[in-house]
């Protein structure tokens, strides 16, 4: 949660409405998975649109309990799971074949093969990813240049299509972060 940076850090807006995209897909969904829910903050903005069978995953241990506390009152189970960035196929998803008709994913690593397994035929996957060169200037300036060039829209598209998905829409946006003070930058990096 970057709420403590409100007014001190901002980022340029994407040219799409992710919440609107999610709501359009949720209108016809019965079994939903939200991958990488964080503390559940974004998913909570959609509670009026979620079906009764909604499950979330979170892979960062400090966020698992935060998400469980936030989402349990809404009947949303949080399962600890996260695909390792360096090998997304190393850990199978803890769900049965064909479990979901819609998978939402906001900035979470994913295995296209595992998605194809847990999504019913004709199901949908809606994701917004952060590119592998996010904030690369900061990393370069600080001597920690760990870009992941394979994390890009062309690669994602190719990988999901190879797993049997049909890509209906894809777009790329290169934005910018603005920090109002050095302390905000340091808090973000931490």
């Amino acid at each position: 949660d970057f709420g403590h940076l409100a007014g001190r850090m901002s980022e340029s807006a994407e040219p799409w409405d992710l919440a609107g995209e999610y709501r359009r897909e949720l209108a016809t969904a019965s079994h939903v998975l939200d991958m990488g829910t964080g503390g559940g903050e974004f998913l909570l903005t959609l509670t009026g649109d979620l079906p009764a069978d909604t499950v979330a995953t979170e892979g960062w241990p400090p966020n698992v309990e935060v998400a469980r506390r936030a989402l349990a009152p809404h009947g949303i189970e949080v399962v600890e799971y996260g695909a390792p960035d360096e090998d997304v196929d190393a850990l199978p998803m803890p769900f049965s074949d064909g479990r979901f008709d819609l998978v939402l994913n906001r900035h979470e690593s994913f295995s296209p093969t595992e998605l194809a397994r847990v999504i019913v035929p004709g199901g949908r996957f809606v994701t917004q990813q952060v590119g592998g060169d996010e904030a690369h200037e900061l990393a370069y300036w600080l001597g920690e240049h760990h870009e992941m060039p394979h994390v890009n829209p062309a690669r994602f598209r190719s990988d999901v299509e190879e797993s049997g998905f049909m890509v209906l829409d894809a777009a790329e946006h290169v934005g910018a972060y603005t920090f109002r003070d050095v302390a905000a930058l340091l808090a973000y990096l931490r």
Side-chain angles (χ1 to χ4, degrees):
D1 178 7
F2 290 97
H4 65 287
L5 295 176
R8 298 173 55 213
M9 173 193 171
S10 62
E11 58 185 295
S12 51
E14 298 96 5
W16 52 80
D17 175 11
L18 184 63
E21 294 289 333
Y22 279 6
R23 283 189 175 92
R24 275 188 286 287
E25 296 296 334
L26 286 165
T28 59
S30 300
H31 310 283
V32 174
L33 171 62
D34 178 42
M35 292 182 70
T37 201
E41 303 88 353
F42 191 77
L43 190 59
L44 286 173
T45 68
L46 305 168
T47 54
D49 300 292
L50 298 173
D53 183 16
T54 299
V55 177
T57 63
E58 177 52 39
W60 193 50
N63 271 347
V64 174
E65 287 307 314
V66 172
R68 286 179 175 154
R69 282 193 305 275
L71 298 173
H74 302 278
I76 300 170
E77 178 188 8
V78 176
V79 176
E80 188 167 355
Y81 169 81
D85 290 336
E86 61 282 352
D87 184 4
V88 295
D89 294 312
L91 186 63
M93 295 178 78
F95 303 109
S96 60
D97 296 0
R99 170 71 175 86
F100 302 102
D101 58 3
L102 175 62
V103 175
L104 308 174
N105 179 314
R106 185 171 169 259
H107 311 159
E108 183 72 0
S109 296
F110 64 91
S111 163
T113 305
E114 279 297 290
L115 283 173
R117 184 183 65 76
V118 302
I119 296 177
V120 298
R124 293 150 353 256
F125 173 56
V126 181
T127 187
Q128 174 177 288
Q129 294 291 312
V130 175
D133 62 350
E134 178 204 23
H136 66 279
E137 301 93 341
L138 290 175
Y140 180 76
W141 294 332
L142 297 173
E144 293 287 328
H145 198 54
H146 298 293
E147 285 188 21
M148 296 184 291
H150 63 284
V151 179
N152 64 67
R155 176 72 181 267
F156 285 140
R157 180 181 201 123
S158 172
D159 288 351
V160 297
E161 287 176 340
E162 285 177 18
S163 293
F165 289 92
M166 178 175 45
V167 176
L168 301 176
D169 190 16
E172 183 175 14
H173 164 71
V174 178
Y177 295 121
T178 302
F179 297 93
R180 305 276 182 244
D181 55 69
V182 172
L185 171 62
L186 294 175
Y188 173 79
L189 291 172
R190 185 180 54 101

